[in-house]
mmCIF file of all heavy atoms in Angstrom:
data_model
loop_
_atom_site.group_PDB
_atom_site.id
_atom_site.type_symbol
_atom_site.label_atom_id
_atom_site.label_comp_id
_atom_site.label_asym_id
_atom_site.label_seq_id
_atom_site.Cartn_x
_atom_site.Cartn_y
_atom_site.Cartn_z
ATOM 1 N N ALA A 126 -11.351 -23.388 -10.923
ATOM 2 C CA ALA A 126 -11.031 -22.660 -9.699
ATOM 3 C C ALA A 126 -10.560 -23.574 -8.573
ATOM 4 O O ALA A 126 -10.414 -23.123 -7.441
ATOM 5 C CB ALA A 126 -12.258 -21.865 -9.252
ATOM 6 N N ALA A 127 -10.321 -24.839 -8.850
ATOM 7 C CA ALA A 127 -9.849 -25.770 -7.823
ATOM 8 C C ALA A 127 -8.571 -25.223 -7.195
ATOM 9 O O ALA A 127 -7.909 -24.365 -7.771
ATOM 10 C CB ALA A 127 -9.604 -27.136 -8.447
ATOM 11 N N PRO A 128 -8.216 -25.708 -5.999
ATOM 12 C CA PRO A 128 -7.014 -25.192 -5.339
ATOM 13 C C PRO A 128 -5.830 -25.090 -6.297
ATOM 14 O O PRO A 128 -5.499 -26.033 -7.007
ATOM 15 C CB PRO A 128 -6.762 -26.235 -4.238
ATOM 16 C CG PRO A 128 -8.114 -26.775 -3.939
ATOM 17 C CD PRO A 128 -8.856 -26.777 -5.262
ATOM 18 N N GLY A 129 -5.245 -23.901 -6.326
ATOM 19 C CA GLY A 129 -4.126 -23.645 -7.207
ATOM 20 C C GLY A 129 -4.530 -23.186 -8.592
ATOM 21 O O GLY A 129 -3.694 -22.839 -9.407
ATOM 22 N N GLY A 130 -5.841 -23.168 -8.868
ATOM 23 C CA GLY A 130 -6.323 -22.763 -10.186
ATOM 24 C C GLY A 130 -6.692 -21.291 -10.215
ATOM 25 O O GLY A 130 -6.374 -20.523 -9.310
ATOM 26 N N VAL A 131 -7.369 -20.900 -11.247
ATOM 27 C CA VAL A 131 -7.790 -19.522 -11.454
ATOM 28 C C VAL A 131 -9.176 -19.339 -10.854
ATOM 29 O O VAL A 131 -10.063 -20.160 -11.061
ATOM 30 C CB VAL A 131 -7.837 -19.207 -12.966
ATOM 31 C CG1 VAL A 131 -8.380 -17.824 -13.223
ATOM 32 C CG2 VAL A 131 -6.464 -19.378 -13.569
ATOM 33 N N VAL A 132 -9.370 -18.275 -10.119
ATOM 34 C CA VAL A 132 -10.710 -17.979 -9.602
ATOM 35 C C VAL A 132 -11.565 -17.522 -10.770
ATOM 36 O O VAL A 132 -11.173 -16.670 -11.562
ATOM 37 C CB VAL A 132 -10.656 -16.898 -8.510
ATOM 38 C CG1 VAL A 132 -12.055 -16.462 -8.115
ATOM 39 C CG2 VAL A 132 -9.898 -17.413 -7.300
ATOM 40 N N VAL A 133 -12.727 -18.107 -10.910
ATOM 41 C CA VAL A 133 -13.678 -17.720 -11.942
ATOM 42 C C VAL A 133 -14.807 -16.989 -11.239
ATOM 43 O O VAL A 133 -15.438 -17.527 -10.330
ATOM 44 C CB VAL A 133 -14.198 -18.960 -12.701
ATOM 45 C CG1 VAL A 133 -15.258 -18.571 -13.708
ATOM 46 C CG2 VAL A 133 -13.047 -19.671 -13.385
ATOM 47 N N ALA A 134 -15.048 -15.749 -11.643
ATOM 48 C CA ALA A 134 -16.024 -14.906 -10.963
ATOM 49 C C ALA A 134 -17.451 -15.380 -11.154
ATOM 50 O O ALA A 134 -18.301 -15.161 -10.292
ATOM 51 C CB ALA A 134 -15.887 -13.460 -11.434
ATOM 52 N N GLY A 135 -17.742 -16.007 -12.267
ATOM 53 C CA GLY A 135 -19.107 -16.446 -12.507
ATOM 54 C C GLY A 135 -19.292 -16.977 -13.903
ATOM 55 O O GLY A 135 -18.328 -17.201 -14.637
ATOM 56 N N LEU A 136 -20.549 -17.173 -14.239
ATOM 57 C CA LEU A 136 -20.926 -17.641 -15.567
ATOM 58 C C LEU A 136 -21.532 -16.492 -16.342
ATOM 59 O O LEU A 136 -22.334 -15.729 -15.801
ATOM 60 C CB LEU A 136 -21.987 -18.739 -15.481
ATOM 61 C CG LEU A 136 -21.606 -20.088 -14.912
ATOM 62 C CD1 LEU A 136 -22.826 -21.004 -14.903
ATOM 63 C CD2 LEU A 136 -20.490 -20.716 -15.709
ATOM 64 N N VAL A 137 -21.179 -16.391 -17.603
ATOM 65 C CA VAL A 137 -21.845 -15.482 -18.530
ATOM 66 C C VAL A 137 -22.471 -16.366 -19.598
ATOM 67 O O VAL A 137 -21.802 -17.222 -20.175
ATOM 68 C CB VAL A 137 -20.862 -14.487 -19.164
ATOM 69 C CG1 VAL A 137 -21.529 -13.702 -20.285
ATOM 70 C CG2 VAL A 137 -20.320 -13.539 -18.112
ATOM 71 N N VAL A 138 -23.758 -16.171 -19.818
ATOM 72 C CA VAL A 138 -24.490 -16.953 -20.812
ATOM 73 C C VAL A 138 -25.013 -16.001 -21.874
ATOM 74 O O VAL A 138 -25.678 -15.019 -21.553
ATOM 75 C CB VAL A 138 -25.659 -17.733 -20.172
ATOM 76 C CG1 VAL A 138 -26.410 -18.531 -21.226
ATOM 77 C CG2 VAL A 138 -25.163 -18.642 -19.061
ATOM 78 N N ASP A 139 -24.704 -16.287 -23.132
ATOM 79 C CA ASP A 139 -25.250 -15.522 -24.252
ATOM 80 C C ASP A 139 -26.650 -16.051 -24.527
ATOM 81 O O ASP A 139 -26.808 -17.194 -24.951
ATOM 82 C CB ASP A 139 -24.381 -15.695 -25.502
ATOM 83 C CG ASP A 139 -22.999 -15.089 -25.335
ATOM 84 O OD1 ASP A 139 -22.876 -14.098 -24.600
ATOM 85 O OD2 ASP A 139 -22.048 -15.603 -25.944
ATOM 86 N N ALA A 140 -27.658 -15.227 -24.264
ATOM 87 C CA ALA A 140 -29.032 -15.703 -24.348
ATOM 88 C C ALA A 140 -29.809 -15.042 -25.479
ATOM 89 O O ALA A 140 -29.891 -13.818 -25.535
ATOM 90 C CB ALA A 140 -29.756 -15.435 -23.029
ATOM 91 N N PRO A 141 -30.410 -15.860 -26.332
ATOM 92 C CA PRO A 141 -31.349 -15.282 -27.286
ATOM 93 C C PRO A 141 -32.613 -14.871 -26.521
ATOM 94 O O PRO A 141 -32.806 -15.256 -25.360
ATOM 95 C CB PRO A 141 -31.636 -16.441 -28.246
ATOM 96 C CG PRO A 141 -31.393 -17.669 -27.423
ATOM 97 C CD PRO A 141 -30.307 -17.308 -26.452
ATOM 98 N N THR A 142 -33.464 -14.129 -27.139
ATOM 99 C CA THR A 142 -34.691 -13.669 -26.489
ATOM 100 C C THR A 142 -35.469 -14.823 -25.865
ATOM 101 O O THR A 142 -35.980 -14.711 -24.758
ATOM 102 C CB THR A 142 -35.580 -12.924 -27.516
ATOM 103 O OG1 THR A 142 -34.809 -11.875 -28.084
ATOM 104 C CG2 THR A 142 -36.819 -12.363 -26.868
ATOM 105 N N SER A 143 -35.513 -15.961 -26.552
ATOM 106 C CA SER A 143 -36.279 -17.107 -26.060
ATOM 107 C C SER A 143 -35.706 -17.708 -24.777
ATOM 108 O O SER A 143 -36.407 -18.434 -24.073
ATOM 109 C CB SER A 143 -36.349 -18.185 -27.139
ATOM 110 O OG SER A 143 -35.041 -18.626 -27.471
ATOM 111 N N GLY A 144 -34.447 -17.411 -24.438
ATOM 112 C CA GLY A 144 -33.835 -17.995 -23.246
ATOM 113 C C GLY A 144 -33.745 -17.069 -22.052
ATOM 114 O O GLY A 144 -33.281 -17.466 -20.979
ATOM 115 N N MET A 145 -34.194 -15.839 -22.188
ATOM 116 C CA MET A 145 -34.019 -14.862 -21.117
ATOM 117 C C MET A 145 -34.787 -15.226 -19.852
ATOM 118 O O MET A 145 -34.238 -15.175 -18.750
ATOM 119 C CB MET A 145 -34.403 -13.471 -21.619
ATOM 120 C CG MET A 145 -33.447 -12.950 -22.666
ATOM 121 S SD MET A 145 -34.001 -11.359 -23.311
ATOM 122 C CE MET A 145 -32.725 -11.040 -24.503
#
Side-chain angles (χ1 to χ4, degrees):
V131 175
V132 172
V133 176
L136 291 179
V137 171
V138 180
D139 294 329
T142 304
S143 61
M145 292 176 181

